[in-house]
Amino acid sequence: MDPKVKDKTGEKKKPKKMISMEAKHEIIAKHERGVRIIDLANEYGHNPSTISMIIKQKEAIKKLQPSKGVTIISKLRTDIHDEMEQLLLLWIKEKQLVGDSVSEAIICEKVGTIFQDLKRDVTETEGESSQGGEGFKASDS
């Protein structure tokens, strides 16, 4: 949220502080070791209700396997996003190993190609679920 945005009283709103997945895992682990919610709230600088919500969602948080480097999980994020990131990272590593340069424009183009391939694969798999679809084939471009 933009810190310049004002609430109904005309006061500036504080920017929303996001909690990283790593911090959420730390909070859950500390709580399981007996640290009180109020102490965790003070340590992490958040409202106790925020810490309580993390504790209530601990099973879902523990199940999440975000891609390397992902710190925040969006509700809009799908499995396709994770698979796309993993395929893109693999493609970038392959390009670097053979000494090819990879510009931002090339990466953006590849992301679009990977996403369309994954989307098409999901659509085909849903339509051919009884026939067993082929699966995703990464392009060499």
Side-chain angles (χ1 to χ4, degrees), residues 16-38:
K16 186 175 180 181
K17 290 191 286 183
M18 301 295 280
I19 304 173
S20 70
M21 289 304 294
E22 183 180 339
K24 287 180 183 181
H25 286 284
E26 288 173 9
I27 289 168
I28 291 167
K30 287 179 181 181
H31 185 261
E32 288 175 344
R33 288 193 306 264
V35 178
R36 297 180 316 159
I37 289 175
I38 190 71

Side-chain angles (χ1 to χ4, degrees), residues 66-67 70 72-82 85:
S67 299
V70 174
I72 305 297
I73 300 295
S74 168
K75 292 177 184 173
L76 302 175
R77 189 177 180 83
T78 65
D79 291 340
I80 289 178
H81 291 99
D82 285 332
E85 280 182 4

Side-chain angles (χ1 to χ4, degrees), residues 14 29 34-35 57 74 115 133:
K14 289 194 292 185
V35 178
Q57 296 173 344
S74 168
F115 183 72

Side-chain angles (χ1 to χ4, degrees), residues 96-122:
Q96 289 174 338
L97 285 173
V98 296
D100 291 347
S101 64
V102 184
S103 69
E104 184 178 343
I106 293 170
I107 291 173
C108 289
E109 184 179 327
K110 185 63 177 178
V111 166
T113 304
I114 291 172
F115 183 72
Q116 291 305 318
D117 287 347
L118 287 171
K119 217 163 90 171
R120 183 178 55 247
D121 184 51
V122 167

